[in-house]
Amino acid sequence: MNRSTARSRFLPFLCLLLLLTSGRTAEAQCPPGGFVVSGSVVDALGLPLVGFDIDILDALGNPLPLSGDNTDGNGLFTLTICQIVPDGFYDVIVRPPSTTNFLQTVYPAQFIAQGAVIGPFVVELGVRLQGTVTDEA
C-alpha cells in the first residue's frame, strides 16, 4: 500500500474523530475565573424539564458564551460563563427543545455571581400553530 492510499483510508477516521470531539472544545475554552451558576427548570406542576437550553444575556442583550447550559434528566443545569463578567443582574432565556410545546421564556434581572443558584424557572406550555397568514385588504 502506498502513502497516498494509506492517507485516503485514514482521512475518514480523522474526520469522524474530529466530529465526535468537537462538542468538547467549548469547556476547554472557558478561562479560569468564569462563573459557575446552577439552577433548575420545571413545568407548572413542578416536574423537571429535560433538554432545555439556558442563555444569559449581557447588558446589550447579547448572549454570553456558556458551557454546560442544558438541563439534565432532573431538570438541573450547572453552567460556566466562559468570560469574566461582574456580579450583577442579567436576563436569562430558557429555550425549550423544538420537539415540545413549551414556551421560550425570558426571566429578567436574575442575580448572577460565582456559585449562584438561579431559578427554579417555571416554563409554561404553549400551543403550536401552523398555517398561512393572509391580508384580506
Side-chain angles (χ1 to χ4, degrees):
M1 177 182 319
N2 64 32
R3 281 190 160 196
S4 177
T5 305
R7 282 186 199 148
S8 65
R9 288 187 179 182
F10 177 71
L11 188 59
F13 295 109
L14 179 61
C15 291
L16 180 61
L17 178 63
L18 289 173
L19 283 172
L20 292 174
T21 59
S22 64
R24 299 180 190 178
T25 57
E27 290 183 36
Q29 295 173 356
C30 287
F35 287 164
V36 175
V37 177
S38 60
S40 61
V41 178
V42 297
D43 67 10
L45 299 174
L47 298 173
L49 295 174
V50 180
F52 281 62
D53 178 56
I54 311 302
D55 288 321
I56 299 175
L57 306 180
D58 66 15
L60 299 174
N62 299 312
L64 296 173
L66 305 176
S67 174
D69 58 340
N70 287 302
T71 59
D72 65 14
N74 295 311
L76 304 174
F77 62 88
T78 300
L79 60 84
T80 301
I81 301 174
C82 298
Q83 74 182 41
I84 307 301
V85 296
D87 293 0
F89 292 92
Y90 295 83
D91 291 348
V92 174
I93 300 176
V94 177
R95 300 178 197 277
S98 62
T99 56
T100 71
N101 286 335
F102 285 97
L103 299 172
Q104 174 177 306
T105 309
V106 178
Y107 299 89
Q110 301 295 307
F111 185 73
I112 303 292
Q114 174 62 22
V117 177
I118 56 177
F121 297 112
V122 179
V123 180
E124 300 291 331
L125 272 173
V127 176
R128 278 193 198 274
L129 299 177
Q130 184 174 349
T132 304
V133 176
T134 59
D135 184 2
E136 291 185 28

